[in-house]
Structures are given as C-alpha cells and as structure tokens.
Amino acid sequence: MMTILMMLIFMIPLCLMNFFIPVQVVYLFSYLYVLLSGSFSYFSKISYLFGLDFFSFNLIMLSFLISSFMIISMLGSFMMEFYMIINLLLSFFLFFIFCVMDFMYMYICFEFVLVPLVILIMIWGYQPERLIAGMYLFFYTLLVSLPLLVLLIYIYMNVGSMFFDYMIMNSSFFVSHFILTIVFMVKFPMYLVHYWLPKAHVQAPVSGSMILAGLMLKIGGYGIIRSMYMYEYMYMYYSYIWYSICLLGSLLISLICLIQADIKCMIAYSSISHMGMVIMGLLTMSTWGLMGSFMMMLGHGFCSSGLFYISNLFYFRTGSRSFYINKGLLIYLPTSSLFMFLLCSFNMSCPPSINFISEFMILTSMMNYWLNSIFFFILMSFFCACFSYYLYSFSQHGSFHNLYSFSSFNVIEFICLFMHLLPLVLFPLMIMSLF
C-alpha cells in the first residue's frame, strides 16, 4: 500500500507540468498494481496502518479508474495544472479512506475530501448558484460530522483503540447509533437529507459530477459496512427506522425523476433512488444483501458516471442541458445513440450488467427481511425503468430544434464512454467464472 502512496505523491511534479498522459499512465499502473495484489475477506497487504480487504480492494480500483476518466473529461479546460492537483488530492484522500484500518484516520480523510470537492465546484462550476451548492455540501457534512468526532473520542476513552477490529460495543443506545449512522446516510444520500446532491451535481463541472456519483456516494456505503461489522447489535435493533425511510423515499424520488426538465438533475435524482436500494440491502444484515448492495455501488459508480459524461457531451454541442432543447439527438449526434441506450438500459438494471445481479440479490434479501417489501420494490423498479426510458427517448427522438446538422464524438470521448460500459459487462462474467 505504501508503494501506491509513493506513486501518488510523486505524481505532483507531473501534474504541475501538465503532463496528462504520464498522469493517466500512473493511474492505470496503480489500478493494475491493486488488481494483481488480490483481495481477501480479511485485511491483507498490511503496512503502516494501511490494509486491503474485499471492499477496499474494489473501491480503490474504482477510485483510480474514475480519477482517470475525470482527467479525460476536462481536457482543454482552463487552469489544467491546478485541476490535476485537485484531482490528485481527491484520489489521495479516497485512497486513505478506503485503506486505513483506523477509524479516526478514516474520519479525518472523510472530512478533508470535502475541501478539494468544494474547490472543484467553486472554480470550474457553471452558474453563480455554485456558491450556494458549495455551502449546501459544506454545511450538510459539517452538521453531522462534528457529533461523530465527539462520539469517536467517547468510544476511544471506553474501548482504548480506534482500529476497526477492536472497536466492538454491545450498547443499544439510540443516540450513539444515530450519530454513527446519519453521517454516512448524508453521504449516500438518504431521502430527507438528500437536498445537497442535486444542487452540487447541477452546479459542478462534469468531473465533479463524475466523482460525486462514482465515489463520494460510495464513501457512505463503505462507512456503513465498516460500522455494521463493529456495532452489529445496534443495526439489528434499529435498522427498521432507516429501512422504512428509504423504502418510501426511493419510491418518491423515482416519481420526482419523471418531472425533471434538466438532464443532470434527473440523473442526480436517479442516483438517490438507487442509493436508497443500496441502503435497504445493507440494512437487511444478510450476506446477499451486503454483496448485492456492494455490487450495485460498483455498477452505479460506472453507470452514473457515464451518464453524466455523455450528458456533458450533449451540453457542449447544444449549449443546454434542458430536455426541451436536447431533442432529436439521434439526428444531430447519431454516434451517441448506442452509448446512451446502453447506459440507460444498465441504469434500469437490464440483464447483461452487474446492476441486474445486484438488484436480484437485494430483492431476495429485502423479501427475507420483510415480505411486503416486494410491492415497493416492484414499483421502484417500474418507475426506474420509466425515467430511464424517458431520459433516452426524450433526448434521442423527436425533432431537433435546429435544421439538420451532423456532429460526431472524438475518439477519446468514445474511449471514455466505452471504458465506462466495459466493467459493467465484465464484472458479471468474472462473478460467474468464480461460481
């Protein structure tokens, strides 16, 4: 793990000199190094408080890939050297979050990752409202994070250690459970504490949206998984509260998606709906629910990031993100139609993708937790298919607002879209080969 840390540190001169191709090569080498190191159900590759297990293994690989896609998405923008430093900082903090075995270090990096993200929104955002979006993001995180710091100090005074393997308590005190859980629920985000996400997505540049959808939401899932292993009794006792909120919230958010007029806003709300299903899968406290939720986190990371990227490509060519302007793109951008169709299909969990397997596993665990969940799940899946179909058909079909024109994607844009789709299809094949 220290090898990858040194690689990230020595990327600073490359970023300052704006050598984006060597930076991409280092990201991909880091990805391959983690991939070939193997993953286990217990911590391995332990060195200097860093460790690697099954969850951190996959999320670190996702971090390096999304960071690489972020650089591709912002090629040619202003202040590119500073942008690559911000991107490197985000990768650095995410690597720390997913690798450290100490809760306090994870908490510190969990807070620090907010700083480069707000800088990204403030400098490279589009509208003046990005200032309000940055404030929403900052204060939502700050409000729930400070009580967690007090709780961690209290736990350290009682347990005597901050290592994940040692922090085990049998308390059923609801306030402790609430403080420990709400901080990760805001990061997901859960319904009722979700308002910062559409604001941040709409005002952020494309790379900000990609890392928000691809990685920031996964920090919440990773934190819930870690705290579930430590405080199992608390989650078994109180999980029905969060489960009920997410059950109704995901259904309502799916309906809200159908009335959006902004493409990015709709994709952002669809992320909230999918993350609600991830929370429900985790809270069932079953093996299928855990693995299904984790696979949905990985699938959503690639799928949602690809949708934000392709919506930004439309924005560059039509000058708008409105559904009323982006019509008839099948005529204007014929090369984009297949990629848009595949991304929308995978967003509604069609069979070739990992999303389908994960939804099936989550459904099984939800029925095992509460049988009547199937009715809510059917409605959620139906409305998810509705807004994914609406996103594709409304943008690709119809009459274009201008006279006939023809535009195509660049090769590097094709490569970035293809690399978003490839893992979604390869992951199920890898899983099938294991069984």
Side-chain angles (χ1 to χ4, degrees), residues 113-178:
V113 80
L114 186 70
V115 177
L117 190 61
V118 170
I119 293 172
L120 197 67
I121 293 172
M122 293 293 185
I123 296 179
W124 288 275
Y126 298 124
Q127 286 90 11
E129 287 84 358
R130 63 182 183 271
L131 303 174
I132 300 172
M135 280 185 59
Y136 268 103
L137 178 60
F138 183 78
F139 280 104
Y140 261 94
T141 308
L142 192 69
L143 181 67
V144 294
S145 294
L146 286 177
L148 179 63
L149 179 62
V150 177
L151 179 66
L152 288 177
I153 295 169
Y154 171 76
I155 291 172
Y156 179 73
M157 290 172 65
N158 281 273
V159 179
S161 174
M162 298 300 290
F163 280 95
F164 289 132
D165 292 338
Y166 293 158
M167 289 177 65
I168 297 171
M169 291 175 66
N170 294 321
S171 171
S172 60
F173 188 39
F174 178 71
V175 175
S176 301
H177 172 74
F178 180 80

Side-chain angles (χ1 to χ4, degrees), residues 344-408:
C344 288
S345 299
F346 291 165
N347 196 44
M348 70 169 83
S349 305
C350 279
S353 68
I354 191 173
N355 304 55
F356 172 73
I357 300 172
S358 61
E359 278 207 12
F360 177 73
M361 294 175 79
I362 289 172
L363 172 62
T364 309
S365 62
M366 284 171 65
M367 287 174 62
N368 191 37
Y369 185 78
W370 184 46
L371 188 60
N372 292 332
S373 299
I374 189 170
F375 302 115
F376 291 90
F377 188 90
I378 289 169
L379 287 172
M380 278 187 279
S381 296
F382 174 71
F383 288 123
C384 177
C386 286
F387 66 68
S388 298
Y389 176 73
Y390 168 67
L391 175 61
Y392 173 75
S393 62
F394 211 94
S395 62
Q396 299 298 310
H397 297 289
S399 57
F400 189 59
H401 69 94
N402 210 331
L403 296 174
Y404 176 79
S405 179
F406 182 86
S407 180
S408 182

Side-chain angles (χ1 to χ4, degrees), residues 6 20 32 34 106 121 131 137 190 197 211 250 280 402 426 430:
M6 289 296 111
F20 72 90
L32 288 173
V34 177
M106 177 187 162
I121 293 172
L131 303 174
L137 178 60
M190 184 185 70
L197 186 71
I211 199 159
S250 295
M280 285 186 285
N402 210 331
L426 286 182
M430 290 166 62

Side-chain angles (χ1 to χ4, degrees), residues 54 58 291-292 294-296 298-299 353-358 361 423-435:
F54 175 76
N58 289 283
M291 296 312 297
F294 188 70
M295 284 196 290
M296 180 169 272
L298 295 177
S353 68
I354 191 173
N355 304 55
F356 172 73
I357 300 172
S358 61
M361 294 175 79
L424 291 169
V425 182
L426 286 182
F427 275 150
L429 297 177
M430 290 166 62
I431 292 165
M432 287 166 63
S433 66
L434 291 174
F435 292 104

Side-chain angles (χ1 to χ4, degrees), residues 407-423:
S407 180
S408 182
F409 286 173
N410 302 326
V411 174
I412 195 164
E413 293 169 345
F414 274 127
I415 291 170
C416 190
L417 283 170
F418 180 72
M419 287 305 296
H420 275 100
L421 287 166
L422 191 64

